[in-house]
Structures are given as C-alpha cells and as structure tokens.
Amino acid sequence: MTDIREDIVSAYMTRLQTITTGNGYRTTIDTVERGYRDPSEVGASERPYIGVVPGRESYQDEPGRVVTMWSIALACYLTASAATPAAVIASLSNLAADIRKALYASPENLSVDQMIFARVVSREGNEGLVEAAKTKNATMVIGTVAKFWEDATG
C-alpha cells in the first residue's frame, strides 16, 4: 500500500495534466512534474509548466483518526502571448482559473481514499513586474491545501 501523500501528489498531477483547451480550459499545460525547478531551468517548450511542491503539514486529533492539512504549492511558469502587462496578467489569471477549476472538479476526494478535499488558498504572481512584461515570462505560485485523514493507530 502506498502512502496517502504519494497518492495525493499523484492525483494532483493527474488532474493538472487534464488542463487543456480541448478539455474546456483556457490554457494547455505542457509539463507537470513533482518538485521545484527554478524558472530559468524551464525551457520554452516545457511552458506552461506546473511543479507540484509538497510542504508543511498540520494535524488535528479526532476520535480514532488524525486529520492532516497539507500545504502543496504549485510553481507555475508560462510565456504570455505578448510582451505587455495586460497579456501577462491575462495569462496568469487564466492559468489560476484553470487550476481552481481542475482541482474543484471533484474536490471531495480527487479519487483518493481518505481524502476530504483540496482547495486553492492563495496566489502570488509576478504580473506587476516590468521585467515580466518585457520578456513575456510569467511566474506564479498557487497555494493549495489537501485535507485527509489517517487512522490514529498508524
């Protein structure tokens, strides 16, 4: 049996890989992988790119089980359609909306037993930077939380 954390990361990646214009989204994701890569290491052919980066956990004891709130960051890099602030803002906004839509399509479980939900909780992008508009390279970090439970006995 795999660890539920591995199942959750796998479910995130599978769901994010469904983000394509053919599936009704505004963006088509070229690369989804586990872990963080510096934006300078992600080539144009890999963008739009999402790195799934597991983070901090917090716990709540309940009778017979432990509920975990697990922070999972999504490092997102893309190349905007034009070298203008408006194009960068639109590209990041569209990608953020697509990620929310993908994760909320079935937020109760993402097809993972013991999964309670996954939610987008924050977004921070570089759309305000002049450099992003000059180069068309936009970055954004989407903060998510996955809530799941495990038996208290381990």
Side-chain angles (χ1 to χ4, degrees):
M1 185 169 95
T2 61
D3 181 73
I4 188 170
R5 289 157 188 81
E6 290 302 318
D7 292 342
I8 290 170
V9 169
S10 178
Y12 263 63
M13 293 177 64
T14 298
R15 185 63 61 83
L16 293 169
Q17 289 167 342
T18 68
I19 298 176
T20 66
T21 54
N23 286 338
Y25 293 95
R26 301 173 191 174
T27 312
T28 293
I29 302 301
D30 288 323
T31 307
V32 177
E33 65 183 20
R34 182 182 179 138
Y36 173 81
R37 284 173 44 195
D38 189 81
S40 65
E41 298 171 357
V42 178
S45 66
E46 298 175 280
R47 295 174 184 240
Y49 165 94
I50 300 175
V52 179
V53 186
R56 182 176 179 267
E57 295 183 15
S58 60
Y59 309 101
Q60 179 181 355
D61 289 328
E62 292 184 0
R65 69 183 194 173
V66 175
V67 174
T68 300
M69 297 288 282
W70 190 23
S71 297
I72 300 174
L74 305 176
C76 307
Y77 314 137
L78 57 84
T79 302
S81 59
T84 66
V88 171
I89 290 168
S91 296
L92 290 175
S93 295
N94 287 340
L95 180 55
D98 287 345
I99 289 170
R100 279 193 308 276
K101 180 179 174 183
L103 290 180
Y104 284 36
S106 179
E108 293 79 23
N109 60 24
L110 285 176
S111 300
V112 175
D113 291 340
Q114 300 169 247
M115 182 80 170
I116 299 169
F117 65 71
R119 295 283 189 268
V120 173
V121 295
S122 66
R123 171 184 173 232
E124 183 175 343
N126 74 341
E127 61 265 38
L129 299 177
V130 173
E131 188 63 28
K134 286 180 185 176
T135 64
K136 301 194 308 184
N137 291 325
T139 63
M140 171 174 60
V141 176
I142 300 277
T144 74
V145 171
K147 185 175 182 180
F148 62 94
W149 63 271
E150 297 175 284
D151 290 327
T153 59

mmCIF file with all atom_site columns, all heavy atoms in Angstrom, residues 33-37 51-55 70-75:
data_model
loop_
_atom_site.group_PDB
_atom_site.id
_atom_site.type_symbol
_atom_site.label_atom_id
_atom_site.label_alt_id
_atom_site.label_comp_id
_atom_site.label_asym_id
_atom_site.label_entity_id
_atom_site.label_seq_id
_atom_site.pdbx_PDB_ins_code
_atom_site.Cartn_x
_atom_site.Cartn_y
_atom_site.Cartn_z
_atom_site.occupancy
_atom_site.B_iso_or_equiv
_atom_site.pdbx_formal_charge
_atom_site.auth_seq_id
_atom_site.auth_comp_id
_atom_site.auth_asym_id
_atom_site.auth_atom_id
_atom_site.pdbx_PDB_model_num
ATOM 1   N N   . GLU A 1 33 ? 5.168  18.247 -13.165 1.00 0.00 ? 33 GLU A N   1
ATOM 2   C CA  . GLU A 1 33 ? 6.104  17.334 -12.507 1.00 0.00 ? 33 GLU A CA  1
ATOM 3   C C   . GLU A 1 33 ? 6.144  17.613 -11.021 1.00 0.00 ? 33 GLU A C   1
ATOM 4   O O   . GLU A 1 33 ? 5.742  18.689 -10.566 1.00 0.00 ? 33 GLU A O   1
ATOM 5   C CB  . GLU A 1 33 ? 7.507  17.448 -13.116 1.00 0.00 ? 33 GLU A CB  1
ATOM 6   C CG  . GLU A 1 33 ? 8.186  18.779 -12.924 1.00 0.00 ? 33 GLU A CG  1
ATOM 7   C CD  . GLU A 1 33 ? 9.547  18.849 -13.616 1.00 0.00 ? 33 GLU A CD  1
ATOM 8   O OE1 . GLU A 1 33 ? 9.816  18.052 -14.526 1.00 0.00 ? 33 GLU A OE1 1
ATOM 9   O OE2 . GLU A 1 33 ? 10.339 19.729 -13.237 1.00 0.00 ? 33 GLU A OE2 1
ATOM 10  N N   . ARG A 1 34 ? 6.631  16.633 -10.283 1.00 0.00 ? 34 ARG A N   1
ATOM 11  C CA  . ARG A 1 34 ? 6.771  16.791 -8.841  1.00 0.00 ? 34 ARG A CA  1
ATOM 12  C C   . ARG A 1 34 ? 8.075  17.518 -8.553  1.00 0.00 ? 34 ARG A C   1
ATOM 13  O O   . ARG A 1 34 ? 9.116  17.189 -9.132  1.00 0.00 ? 34 ARG A O   1
ATOM 14  C CB  . ARG A 1 34 ? 6.786  15.438 -8.153  1.00 0.00 ? 34 ARG A CB  1
ATOM 15  C CG  . ARG A 1 34 ? 6.893  15.600 -6.644  1.00 0.00 ? 34 ARG A CG  1
ATOM 16  C CD  . ARG A 1 34 ? 6.956  14.278 -5.929  1.00 0.00 ? 34 ARG A CD  1
ATOM 17  N NE  . ARG A 1 34 ? 7.070  14.531 -4.515  1.00 0.00 ? 34 ARG A NE  1
ATOM 18  C CZ  . ARG A 1 34 ? 6.417  13.862 -3.589  1.00 0.00 ? 34 ARG A CZ  1
ATOM 19  N NH1 . ARG A 1 34 ? 5.627  12.883 -3.929  1.00 0.00 ? 34 ARG A NH1 1
ATOM 20  N NH2 . ARG A 1 34 ? 6.573  14.171 -2.327  1.00 0.00 ? 34 ARG A NH2 1
ATOM 21  N N   . GLY A 1 35 ? 8.011  18.500 -7.676  1.00 0.00 ? 35 GLY A N   1
ATOM 22  C CA  . GLY A 1 35 ? 9.202  19.197 -7.250  1.00 0.00 ? 35 GLY A CA  1
ATOM 23  C C   . GLY A 1 35 ? 9.294  20.597 -7.813  1.00 0.00 ? 35 GLY A C   1
ATOM 24  O O   . GLY A 1 35 ? 8.489  21.019 -8.629  1.00 0.00 ? 35 GLY A O   1
ATOM 25  N N   . TYR A 1 36 ? 10.308 21.297 -7.344  1.00 0.00 ? 36 TYR A N   1
ATOM 26  C CA  . TYR A 1 36 ? 10.534 22.685 -7.738  1.00 0.00 ? 36 TYR A CA  1
ATOM 27  C C   . TYR A 1 36 ? 11.722 22.770 -8.684  1.00 0.00 ? 36 TYR A C   1
ATOM 28  O O   . TYR A 1 36 ? 12.753 22.138 -8.453  1.00 0.00 ? 36 TYR A O   1
ATOM 29  C CB  . TYR A 1 36 ? 10.820 23.554 -6.505  1.00 0.00 ? 36 TYR A CB  1
ATOM 30  C CG  . TYR A 1 36 ? 11.223 24.953 -6.870  1.00 0.00 ? 36 TYR A CG  1
ATOM 31  C CD1 . TYR A 1 36 ? 10.264 25.898 -7.192  1.00 0.00 ? 36 TYR A CD1 1
ATOM 32  C CD2 . TYR A 1 36 ? 12.561 25.324 -6.938  1.00 0.00 ? 36 TYR A CD2 1
ATOM 33  C CE1 . TYR A 1 36 ? 10.619 27.185 -7.562  1.00 0.00 ? 36 TYR A CE1 1
ATOM 34  C CE2 . TYR A 1 36 ? 12.928 26.606 -7.304  1.00 0.00 ? 36 TYR A CE2 1
ATOM 35  C CZ  . TYR A 1 36 ? 11.955 27.532 -7.610  1.00 0.00 ? 36 TYR A CZ  1
ATOM 36  O OH  . TYR A 1 36 ? 12.308 28.802 -7.981  1.00 0.00 ? 36 TYR A OH  1
ATOM 37  N N   . ARG A 1 37 ? 11.562 23.554 -9.744  1.00 0.00 ? 37 ARG A N   1
ATOM 38  C CA  . ARG A 1 37 ? 12.674 23.937 -10.618 1.00 0.00 ? 37 ARG A CA  1
ATOM 39  C C   . ARG A 1 37 ? 12.649 25.448 -10.741 1.00 0.00 ? 37 ARG A C   1
ATOM 40  O O   . ARG A 1 37 ? 11.584 26.060 -10.825 1.00 0.00 ? 37 ARG A O   1
ATOM 41  C CB  . ARG A 1 37 ? 12.514 23.305 -12.009 1.00 0.00 ? 37 ARG A CB  1
ATOM 42  C CG  . ARG A 1 37 ? 12.865 21.836 -12.001 1.00 0.00 ? 37 ARG A CG  1
ATOM 43  C CD  . ARG A 1 37 ? 12.588 21.104 -13.280 1.00 0.00 ? 37 ARG A CD  1
ATOM 44  N NE  . ARG A 1 37 ? 12.976 21.780 -14.507 1.00 0.00 ? 37 ARG A NE  1
ATOM 45  C CZ  . ARG A 1 37 ? 12.548 21.398 -15.714 1.00 0.00 ? 37 ARG A CZ  1
ATOM 46  N NH1 . ARG A 1 37 ? 11.734 20.372 -15.841 1.00 0.00 ? 37 ARG A NH1 1
ATOM 47  N NH2 . ARG A 1 37 ? 12.923 22.039 -16.792 1.00 0.00 ? 37 ARG A NH2 1
ATOM 48  N N   . GLY A 1 51 ? 5.017  22.837 -11.334 1.00 0.00 ? 51 GLY A N   1
ATOM 49  C CA  . GLY A 1 51 ? 5.743  21.967 -10.413 1.00 0.00 ? 51 GLY A CA  1
ATOM 50  C C   . GLY A 1 51 ? 4.915  21.786 -9.152  1.00 0.00 ? 51 GLY A C   1
ATOM 51  O O   . GLY A 1 51 ? 4.475  22.769 -8.556  1.00 0.00 ? 51 GLY A O   1
ATOM 52  N N   . VAL A 1 52 ? 4.675  20.555 -8.754  1.00 0.00 ? 52 VAL A N   1
ATOM 53  C CA  . VAL A 1 52 ? 3.876  20.242 -7.561  1.00 0.00 ? 52 VAL A CA  1
ATOM 54  C C   . VAL A 1 52 ? 4.848  20.064 -6.402  1.00 0.00 ? 52 VAL A C   1
ATOM 55  O O   . VAL A 1 52 ? 5.666  19.139 -6.398  1.00 0.00 ? 52 VAL A O   1
ATOM 56  C CB  . VAL A 1 52 ? 3.031  18.972 -7.788  1.00 0.00 ? 52 VAL A CB  1
ATOM 57  C CG1 . VAL A 1 52 ? 2.213  18.638 -6.550  1.00 0.00 ? 52 VAL A CG1 1
ATOM 58  C CG2 . VAL A 1 52 ? 2.129  19.142 -9.015  1.00 0.00 ? 52 VAL A CG2 1
ATOM 59  N N   . VAL A 1 53 ? 4.771  20.973 -5.419  1.00 0.00 ? 53 VAL A N   1
ATOM 60  C CA  . VAL A 1 53 ? 5.774  21.037 -4.353  1.00 0.00 ? 53 VAL A CA  1
ATOM 61  C C   . VAL A 1 53 ? 5.112  20.831 -2.987  1.00 0.00 ? 53 VAL A C   1
ATOM 62  O O   . VAL A 1 53 ? 4.518  21.760 -2.425  1.00 0.00 ? 53 VAL A O   1
ATOM 63  C CB  . VAL A 1 53 ? 6.511  22.400 -4.380  1.00 0.00 ? 53 VAL A CB  1
ATOM 64  C CG1 . VAL A 1 53 ? 7.649  22.408 -3.370  1.00 0.00 ? 53 VAL A CG1 1
ATOM 65  C CG2 . VAL A 1 53 ? 7.010  22.735 -5.781  1.00 0.00 ? 53 VAL A CG2 1
ATOM 66  N N   . PRO A 1 54 ? 5.190  19.604 -2.436  1.00 0.00 ? 54 PRO A N   1
ATOM 67  C CA  . PRO A 1 54 ? 4.619  19.356 -1.118  1.00 0.00 ? 54 PRO A CA  1
ATOM 68  C C   . PRO A 1 54 ? 5.315  20.196 -0.042  1.00 0.00 ? 54 PRO A C   1
ATOM 69  O O   . PRO A 1 54 ? 6.516  20.469 -0.127  1.00 0.00 ? 54 PRO A O   1
ATOM 70  C CB  . PRO A 1 54 ? 4.878  17.863 -0.890  1.00 0.00 ? 54 PRO A CB  1
ATOM 71  C CG  . PRO A 1 54 ? 5.039  17.301 -2.264  1.00 0.00 ? 54 PRO A CG  1
ATOM 72  C CD  . PRO A 1 54 ? 5.719  18.389 -3.052  1.00 0.00 ? 54 PRO A CD  1
ATOM 73  N N   . GLY A 1 55 ? 4.532  20.585 0.967   1.00 0.00 ? 55 GLY A N   1
ATOM 74  C CA  . GLY A 1 55 ? 5.073  21.443 2.016   1.00 0.00 ? 55 GLY A CA  1
ATOM 75  C C   . GLY A 1 55 ? 4.646  21.023 3.413   1.00 0.00 ? 55 GLY A C   1
ATOM 76  O O   . GLY A 1 55 ? 4.564  19.834 3.737   1.00 0.00 ? 55 GLY A O   1
ATOM 77  N N   . TRP A 1 70 ? -2.420 19.599 4.611   1.00 0.00 ? 70 TRP A N   1
ATOM 78  C CA  . TRP A 1 70 ? -1.123 19.544 3.952   1.00 0.00 ? 70 TRP A CA  1
ATOM 79  C C   . TRP A 1 70 ? -1.033 20.639 2.905   1.00 0.00 ? 70 TRP A C   1
ATOM 80  O O   . TRP A 1 70 ? -1.804 20.658 1.948   1.00 0.00 ? 70 TRP A O   1
ATOM 81  C CB  . TRP A 1 70 ? -0.951 18.182 3.316   1.00 0.00 ? 70 TRP A CB  1
ATOM 82  C CG  . TRP A 1 70 ? 0.398  17.848 2.800   1.00 0.00 ? 70 TRP A CG  1
ATOM 83  C CD1 . TRP A 1 70 ? 1.588  18.388 3.169   1.00 0.00 ? 70 TRP A CD1 1
ATOM 84  C CD2 . TRP A 1 70 ? 0.713  16.868 1.806   1.00 0.00 ? 70 TRP A CD2 1
ATOM 85  N NE1 . TRP A 1 70 ? 2.629  17.801 2.474   1.00 0.00 ? 70 TRP A NE1 1
ATOM 86  C CE2 . TRP A 1 70 ? 2.105  16.866 1.631   1.00 0.00 ? 70 TRP A CE2 1
ATOM 87  C CE3 . TRP A 1 70 ? -0.053 15.991 1.060   1.00 0.00 ? 70 TRP A CE3 1
ATOM 88  C CZ2 . TRP A 1 70 ? 2.749  16.018 0.731   1.00 0.00 ? 70 TRP A CZ2 1
ATOM 89  C CZ3 . TRP A 1 70 ? 0.585  15.142 0.169   1.00 0.00 ? 70 TRP A CZ3 1
ATOM 90  C CH2 . TRP A 1 70 ? 1.976  15.160 0.011   1.00 0.00 ? 70 TRP A CH2 1
ATOM 91  N N   . SER A 1 71 ? -0.082 21.544 3.077   1.00 0.00 ? 71 SER A N   1
ATOM 92  C CA  . SER A 1 71 ? 0.142  22.608 2.101   1.00 0.00 ? 71 SER A CA  1
ATOM 93  C C   . SER A 1 71 ? 0.902  22.054 0.908   1.00 0.00 ? 71 SER A C   1
ATOM 94  O O   . SER A 1 71 ? 1.938  21.404 1.069   1.00 0.00 ? 71 SER A O   1
ATOM 95  C CB  . SER A 1 71 ? 0.956  23.746 2.719   1.00 0.00 ? 71 SER A CB  1
ATOM 96  O OG  . SER A 1 71 ? 0.250  24.328 3.783   1.00 0.00 ? 71 SER A OG  1
ATOM 97  N N   . ILE A 1 72 ? 0.376  22.305 -0.280  1.00 0.00 ? 72 ILE A N   1
ATOM 98  C CA  . ILE A 1 72 ? 1.030  21.894 -1.516  1.00 0.00 ? 72 ILE A CA  1
ATOM 99  C C   . ILE A 1 72 ? 1.067  23.112 -2.429  1.00 0.00 ? 72 ILE A C   1
ATOM 100 O O   . ILE A 1 72 ? 0.024  23.648 -2.801  1.00 0.00 ? 72 ILE A O   1
ATOM 101 C CB  . ILE A 1 72 ? 0.294  20.729 -2.205  1.00 0.00 ? 72 ILE A CB  1
ATOM 102 C CG1 . ILE A 1 72 ? 0.235  19.515 -1.272  1.00 0.00 ? 72 ILE A CG1 1
ATOM 103 C CG2 . ILE A 1 72 ? 0.957  20.385 -3.532  1.00 0.00 ? 72 ILE A CG2 1
ATOM 104 C CD1 . ILE A 1 72 ? -0.600 18.370 -1.797  1.00 0.00 ? 72 ILE A CD1 1
ATOM 105 N N   . ALA A 1 73 ? 2.279  23.559 -2.748  1.00 0.00 ? 73 ALA A N   1
ATOM 106 C CA  . ALA A 1 73 ? 2.436  24.715 -3.634  1.00 0.00 ? 73 ALA A CA  1
ATOM 107 C C   . ALA A 1 73 ? 2.514  24.239 -5.077  1.00 0.00 ? 73 ALA A C   1
ATOM 108 O O   . ALA A 1 73 ? 3.034  23.163 -5.373  1.00 0.00 ? 73 ALA A O   1
ATOM 109 C CB  . ALA A 1 73 ? 3.694  25.490 -3.265  1.00 0.00 ? 73 ALA A CB  1
ATOM 110 N N   . LEU A 1 74 ? 1.996  25.067 -5.968  1.00 0.00 ? 74 LEU A N   1
ATOM 111 C CA  . LEU A 1 74 ? 2.104  24.813 -7.395  1.00 0.00 ? 74 LEU A CA  1
ATOM 112 C C   . LEU A 1 74 ? 2.922  25.939 -7.996  1.00 0.00 ? 74 LEU A C   1
ATOM 113 O O   . LEU A 1 74 ? 2.487  27.093 -8.030  1.00 0.00 ? 74 LEU A O   1
ATOM 114 C CB  . LEU A 1 74 ? 0.715  24.765 -8.041  1.00 0.00 ? 74 LEU A CB  1
ATOM 115 C CG  . LEU A 1 74 ? -0.271 23.766 -7.422  1.00 0.00 ? 74 LEU A CG  1
ATOM 116 C CD1 . LEU A 1 74 ? -1.631 23.882 -8.095  1.00 0.00 ? 74 LEU A CD1 1
ATOM 117 C CD2 . LEU A 1 74 ? 0.273  22.347 -7.516  1.00 0.00 ? 74 LEU A CD2 1
ATOM 118 N N   . ALA A 1 75 ? 4.150  25.618 -8.424  1.00 0.00 ? 75 ALA A N   1
ATOM 119 C CA  . ALA A 1 75 ? 5.035  26.597 -9.060  1.00 0.00 ? 75 ALA A CA  1
ATOM 120 C C   . ALA A 1 75 ? 4.683  26.615 -10.545 1.00 0.00 ? 75 ALA A C   1
ATOM 121 O O   . ALA A 1 75 ? 4.829  25.607 -11.230 1.00 0.00 ? 75 ALA A O   1
ATOM 122 C CB  . ALA A 1 75 ? 6.489  26.210 -8.850  1.00 0.00 ? 75 ALA A CB  1
#
